[in-house]
Amino acid sequence: MSDTIKAPTVAELQAKGETPEILFWVGCAGSFDDRYKRVTVAFTKILNKLNVNFAVLGPEESCTGDPARRAGNEFLFQMQAMANIQLLDMYQVKKIVTACPHCFNTLKNEYPDLGGNYEVIHHTTFLQGLLDDGKLKVSGGSFKGQKITYHDSCYLGRANDIYEAPRNVLKSLDADLVEMKRCKTKGLCCGAGGGQMFKDAEAGDKEINIERTEEALDTGAKVIASGCPFCMTMLSDGVKNKEKEAEVQVKDIAELLDEAMD
């Protein structure tokens, strides 16, 4: 990471008697997956450019427990969740922003059952808010007029009814937003949700991510935009399977915005 990127930890700020306005929950993919680390950097660069008062948990951050619960290990989920809630409450965290819809859904909808109540925002909604407030200004740059299609993450779309924020951010790039046949409430899963990311494929004629990639390629878009690490992995694998990596890019919305701002 270059010297220009600043991501203080909550512990560092507290040691100085400061409290961040926002906790950026990085998530397992944003921390450990080489491809998704680039999304973490892009989003952090945007926060830095706009002087947003934020911090991360750093080495104190743990998995939300989403994969454990989806895979049926409720005991492990509750153990992970309770440890996180204790930490978040110790730091008096009120507002959380995350670039992972799985983390978002778990923190927002499942932690309250265990006593963890926070304002949780997906990064696309947060970015739209910055655009609406006039704090974030972009002109299309290299994306002006370019065909972009957006894939709805199940945990963002159908599970939490967030469809417009990601699209509004993409429209701010002056891009030509083209929709897949199955989108919004009828969107097709990338094939990784519900713990499927971590298990072998079941018998069938075709992988779901290949089916979804075909729908994305049919739009003629040169960029497939996503807002989820699981979706990004599945769609990237689909593009590779079709041998289209040289022509079609799979990018997170934060990456596209960061590039446009540069």
Side-chain angles (χ1 to χ4, degrees):
M1 258 188 220
S2 76
D3 297 336
T4 54
I5 296 173
K6 295 185 185 72
T9 64
V10 183
E12 284 167 356
L13 288 187
Q14 289 234 331
K16 295 193 283 187
E18 296 170 24
T19 307
E21 188 189 326
I22 287 160
L23 173 72
F24 171 26
W25 185 278
V26 180
C28 300
S31 301
F32 301 113
D33 179 82
D34 283 342
R35 175 64 188 89
Y36 220 67
K37 282 180 198 172
R38 281 150 50 192
V39 177
T40 303
V41 170
F43 186 59
T44 304
K45 278 168 69 183
I46 294 168
L47 296 177
N48 285 170
K49 281 174 196 166
L50 302 177
N51 294 316
V52 174
N53 176 13
F54 80 101
V56 296
L57 286 169
E60 291 187 280
E61 187 184 289
S62 174
C63 180
T64 60
D66 164 79
R69 177 169 260 193
R70 303 296 162 245
N73 193 334
E74 182 64 18
F75 175 71
L76 178 58
F77 163 72
Q78 294 209 14
M79 220 163 65
Q80 289 179 306
M82 290 307 294
N84 285 327
I85 290 166
Q86 276 183 323
L87 184 70
L88 292 168
D89 289 352
M90 180 187 81
Y91 283 132
Q92 299 178 312
V93 170
K94 303 279 187 290
K95 194 171 181 178
I96 301 172
V97 176
T98 180
C100 173
H102 294 252
C103 296
F104 167 74
N105 181 67
T106 304
L107 291 164
K108 179 176 183 281
N109 299 322
E110 298 179 347
Y111 274 31
D113 294 340
L114 299 169
N117 294 287
Y118 318 100
E119 182 188 353
V120 188
I121 307 164
H122 188 254
H123 75 315
T124 55
T125 306
F126 183 73
L127 291 169
Q128 189 199 353
L130 292 172
L131 283 164
D132 291 349
D133 293 345
K135 290 175 186 166
L136 177 57
K137 293 183 176 71
V138 283
S139 52
S142 57
F143 300 108
K144 196 176 177 81
Q146 199 170 328
K147 268 191 183 179
I148 296 180
T149 192
Y150 171 68
H151 165 76
D152 287 288
S153 151
C154 296
Y155 278 87
L156 202 57
R158 287 198 298 267
N160 286 287
D161 215 28
I162 296 172
Y163 297 108
E164 295 314 316
R167 287 173 169 82
N168 290 339
V169 176
L170 290 170
K171 284 171 188 168
S172 75
L173 301 172
D174 290 337
D176 178 13
L177 187 60
V178 284
E179 296 286 4
M180 290 182 239
K181 280 179 187 159
R182 285 184 274 194
C183 64
K184 299 189 179 177
T185 53
K186 293 186 172 64
L188 180 69
C189 175
C190 72
Q196 297 290 330
M197 182 81 158
F198 308 105
K199 58 187 271 299
D200 292 331
E202 290 160 30
D205 299 327
K206 189 196 281 186
E207 295 279 7
I208 292 179
N209 68 317
I210 303 300
E211 173 93 2
R212 188 54 166 166
T213 303
E214 287 170 357
E215 292 185 358
L217 295 174
D218 285 346
T219 65
K222 294 296 172 219
V223 177
I224 304 171
S226 131
C228 170
F230 287 33
C231 298
M232 175 171 275
T233 298
M234 300 304 272
L235 292 166
S236 298
D237 286 353
V239 170
K240 278 179 198 153
N241 176 276
K242 296 290 175 187
E243 298 182 346
K244 294 280 186 189
E245 313 100 296
E247 303 148 53
V248 179
Q249 296 177 301
V250 181
K251 295 225 166 175
D252 185 87
I253 286 172
E255 292 181 298
L256 298 171
L257 209 50
D258 177 46
E259 283 177 42
M261 287 169 80
D262 285 343

